[in-house]
Amino acid sequence: MNLHYGFDDLKDFDFVAILPIIFPFFFIGFILVLLALIDLFRNRTYRQHVLVWTLIILLVNPIGPILYFIIGRKG
């Protein structure tokens, strides 16, 4: 019984087959980040902590843009 799976087993994996499943998630995440950054910088004179929100949007993906739209637009 072989329970060890290594990198050699990945050569048989078909990454192209799962691409249509994964691509929409990356695309929606990218659109959320883009929309949040556009909104943040268009209204940067009215927003507080622009640098902090930029870092949250970029580094805490995909929750960062959602947090910005829920919490950050109020301030």
Side-chain angles (χ1 to χ4, degrees), residues 4-18:
H4 174 72
Y5 297 103
F7 290 113
D8 294 334
D9 296 327
L10 289 177
K11 68 180 177 188
D12 299 329
F13 188 74
D14 188 17
F15 290 104
V16 178
I18 64 167

Side-chain angles (χ1 to χ4, degrees), residues 48-67:
Q48 297 176 353
H49 312 293
V50 175
L51 180 62
V52 173
W53 277 115
T54 304
L55 292 175
I56 289 173
I57 290 169
L58 291 175
L59 298 178
V60 188
N61 203 7
I63 298 170
I66 295 170
L67 285 175

